[in-house]
Amino acid sequence: MIRKSTESETNRTQLEMVTLDELVPADHLVRKIEAVIDFEFIYPLVEDLYSEDRGRPSVDPVVLIKMAFLQYLFGIRSMRQTIREIEANVAYRWFLGFGFTDKVPHFSTFGKNYVRRFQYTSLFDDIFYHILEQAADAGFIDRAVLFVDSTHVKANANKRKLVKKTVRQEVKHYQAQLDAEVERDREESGKKPLGPKKNQAEETKEIKVSTTDPESGYYVKGEREKQFAYSVHAASDAHGFVLGAIVTPGNVHDSVAFPDLLDKVSDRLIQPFAVAADSAYKNPAIAKLLIDRGILPVFPYTRPKGKKGAFKTKDFIYDEHHDVYICPNNELLTYSTTMREGKRKYVSNPAVCVNCPLLEQCTKSQKHQRIIERHLWQPYMDEVEDLRHTELNRNIYDRRKQTVERVFADAKEKHGMRWTRYRGLEKVSMQAMLTFAALNLKKMAGWAWKNTQPA
């Protein structure tokens, strides 16, 4: 016969004298965080957002921000669920300064305060950088190398609800400089100036826009599922601390967002010694930007494009002195013109090529002519390629998978950044900054706690 145990029922109702502090384990994450940061730094940041003599008493802004941190630190899916967890979890109550029976704010409180006070402010950026400065002051940050990458975060939008729109193409950050160099090169080469574009249709493009979240971008890459998404561009140090981040629609290329990200990190912290990034960032404009600023560019090898068995551009030797290309059959490709895109065109002599024994490997052109395009800023790319072979660059690039790639993996798997919780660029940016602030805070708290433990 099985006896029904009454011990568990008795334990549930027994009265004991115990403090909340006794119930929180000494190595709990919330204790480690409280030991390394004083959240009262938030008060000066929000001082201008609250009125002292109007309206009902508000929820303590420190409590509001700490509630949000609980959500992002522990990867809780929503603020509604976060409030439920706070109600039942003594560690969370301890972290917020609530007693056993204190009433927890309604889940909509943070959202209402965000709309009424925090939206369109720099509050979340300021919180992120305050935590980062704390980590830097503790000696945890390595500012020498910036590891840069981006990841797509699925938007809270139905991919089938869309409209097609024709929009004006954004002007690249370097366009004015490139246009000036193109005109100067054409003048020096005896060519007529190009002047402004006459066909305005070249400056527009058709895109798909979500009717659910119009600020997201339609994202397609290879065989992956087509979807609306946001791109989170981030830079980390060698230890995996996030040093800066920006959010763009998912259809914005990594290289377009890079200059703004570099400026953000450099302005807030310090210009890095080197920047390591994948092949998406490897182009003449970024190579020039980094080298001109005295930053070491660290990029990977990129496979030459073209059909298998055919001659690639690398098979042709550029003679800088005579400004010609020498083909594998020792014939010359001479300068023809400089195009608006910033490329100088070099062409072969069809009368020579038609009888060349290597013609089939060289070109399929009906004119029997090989064309090579060389960017005005190709010398910067050549320098990038030379640096790629150095031991320093190889060692730096090998650390990407342990730094920024690891950051994105943790953010998605442990902190809820696989999907957006909100709609609109402003709110998604808040989610990204709070996620990265939580990652930095968690790492800083863990490191500081380890330093206090006996060896």
Side-chain angles (χ1 to χ4, degrees):
M1 179 178 178
I2 300 176
R3 291 186 178 182
K4 182 180 179 182
S5 174
T6 59
E7 184 177 348
S8 60
E9 295 181 4
T10 302
N11 288 340
R12 289 175 179 175
T13 58
Q14 71 180 356
L15 181 65
E16 292 188 20
M17 295 292 291
V18 63
T19 64
L20 196 64
D21 191 69
E22 292 178 87
L23 299 177
V24 181
D27 61 348
H28 197 286
L29 178 58
V30 294
R31 281 195 183 273
K32 297 176 184 178
I33 289 173
E34 280 289 308
V36 296
I37 191 166
D38 183 355
F39 281 94
E40 298 219 346
F41 79 88
I42 292 171
Y43 289 125
L45 299 180
V46 300
E47 185 177 5
D48 295 337
L49 306 177
Y50 286 82
S51 175
E52 295 183 0
D53 54 3
R54 289 192 302 171
R56 294 178 299 174
S58 60
V59 176
D60 188 333
V62 170
V63 172
L64 282 177
I65 299 302
K66 291 175 82 171
M67 283 167 47
F69 266 112
L70 285 175
Q71 180 182 358
Y72 289 93
L73 281 166
F74 296 98
I76 305 172
R77 66 178 181 269
S78 66
M79 184 53 72
R80 185 193 295 260
Q81 184 62 33
T82 301
I83 296 302
R84 290 175 179 169
E85 295 290 337
I86 292 169
E87 290 173 339
N89 192 311
V90 292
Y92 295 173
R93 283 182 170 271
W94 179 91
F95 182 64
L96 296 172
F98 291 160
F100 284 110
T101 59
D102 285 342
K103 184 176 176 59
V104 179
H106 192 265
F107 69 84
S108 66
T109 305
F110 180 83
K112 289 179 179 178
N113 275 270
Y114 173 81
V115 172
R116 295 170 184 171
R117 294 187 173 96
F118 306 150
Q119 194 173 22
Y120 308 122
T121 70
S122 61
L123 175 62
F124 300 103
D125 270 13
D126 293 339
I127 290 172
F128 170 84
Y129 280 106
H130 181 89
I131 293 170
L132 191 62
E133 287 168 6
Q134 294 260 124
D137 291 342
F140 297 152
I141 304 295
D142 182 353
R143 310 183 194 194
V145 181
L146 215 58
F147 296 89
V148 178
D149 204 353
S150 74
T151 189
H152 282 90
V153 181
K154 188 175 181 181
N156 186 5
N158 189 329
K159 65 182 179 182
R160 296 180 181 85
K161 294 184 178 180
L162 57 88
V163 294
K164 293 183 179 180
K165 290 185 178 181
T166 300
V167 297
R168 187 181 181 87
Q169 292 198 40
E170 294 182 4
V171 177
K172 297 180 175 64
H173 73 282
Y174 58 83
Q175 194 62 54
Q177 182 183 8
L178 181 60
D179 289 345
E181 293 199 23
V182 167
E183 296 292 8
R184 183 168 59 252
D185 188 75
R186 289 182 64 86
E187 182 181 356
E188 292 174 355
S189 303
K191 304 293 181 180
K192 293 181 180 179
L194 291 172
K197 286 184 180 179
K198 294 180 181 180
N199 186 3
Q200 295 300 319
E202 294 179 2
E203 298 180 2
T204 62
K205 62 180 178 180
E206 186 179 75
I207 63 171
K208 295 178 180 178
V209 179
S210 169
T211 56
T212 310
D213 184 359
E215 295 186 20
S216 62
Y218 197 68
Y219 166 65
V220 183
K221 184 175 182 181
E223 298 179 356
R224 296 184 186 179
E225 180 185 8
K226 302 176 179 64
Q227 62 187 20
F228 286 103
Y230 286 91
S231 289
V232 179
H233 310 263
S236 80
D237 76 339
H239 302 311
F241 281 94
V242 180
L243 304 185
I246 59 174
V247 179
T248 65
N251 54 4
V252 174
H253 195 268
D254 296 352
S255 60
V256 175
F258 174 78
D260 290 336
L261 179 60
L262 178 62
D263 288 342
K264 189 173 186 178
V265 175
S266 298
D267 293 344
R268 284 280 193 164
L269 297 170
I270 191 174
Q271 178 170 291
F273 161 74
V275 168
D278 63 20
S279 58
Y281 300 86
K282 190 178 178 181
N283 63 40
I286 290 181
K288 175 178 170 56
L289 173 67
L290 294 176
I291 293 172
D292 284 351
R293 290 195 184 184
I295 301 173
L296 176 70
V298 182
F299 294 113
Y301 167 78
T302 48
R303 188 185 301 275
K305 297 179 181 179
K307 293 183 179 180
K308 187 176 181 180
F311 290 140
K312 309 294 191 299
T313 300
K314 67 181 182 65
D315 296 319
F316 294 74
I317 300 172
Y318 178 65
D319 185 335
E320 185 176 0
H321 180 73
H322 295 96
D323 190 27
V324 295
Y325 273 93
I326 304 172
C327 79
N329 198 37
N330 291 321
E331 298 294 342
L332 302 181
L333 284 77
T334 57
Y335 170 79
S336 172
T337 187
T338 303
M339 298 178 288
R340 191 181 297 276
E341 297 79 12
K343 295 179 179 178
R344 306 182 91 235
K345 183 188 290 187
Y346 296 81
V347 297
S348 63
N349 185 346
V352 175
C353 291
V354 69
N355 298 316
C356 179
L358 304 177
L359 180 63
E360 288 299 315
Q361 292 176 262
C362 187
T363 179
K364 299 295 183 182
S365 169
Q366 293 181 353
K367 296 181 179 179
H368 310 298
Q369 188 177 55
R370 175 66 186 246
I371 299 174
I372 291 180
E373 295 176 354
R374 178 181 175 85
H375 202 282
L376 289 173
W377 296 336
Q378 183 60 38
Y380 293 95
M381 290 297 290
D382 293 339
E383 185 170 349
V384 165
E385 283 300 308
D386 290 339
L387 291 168
R388 184 176 62 81
H389 297 286
T390 65
E391 185 176 358
L392 174 61
N393 277 41
R394 288 199 298 267
N395 291 338
I396 291 175
Y397 192 80
D398 285 345
R399 300 183 70 177
R400 281 188 71 258
K401 58 181 176 292
Q402 304 167 15
T403 54
V404 66
E405 291 183 6
R406 175 79 176 268
V407 166
F408 286 138
D410 287 346
K412 289 189 171 185
E413 292 297 323
K414 302 176 183 178
H415 300 276
M417 208 173 77
R418 193 169 293 280
W419 298 274
T420 63
R421 296 186 173 98
Y422 310 101
R423 292 171 181 165
L425 190 62
E426 182 75 18
K427 290 184 178 180
V428 175
S429 296
M430 176 202 70
Q431 177 183 343
M433 297 313 293
L434 281 175
T435 301
F436 292 138
L439 281 167
N440 285 349
L441 185 55
K442 183 178 178 181
K443 185 182 288 288
M444 177 175 67
W447 284 20
W449 184 78
K450 285 182 180 179
N451 291 342
T452 62
Q453 300 306 300

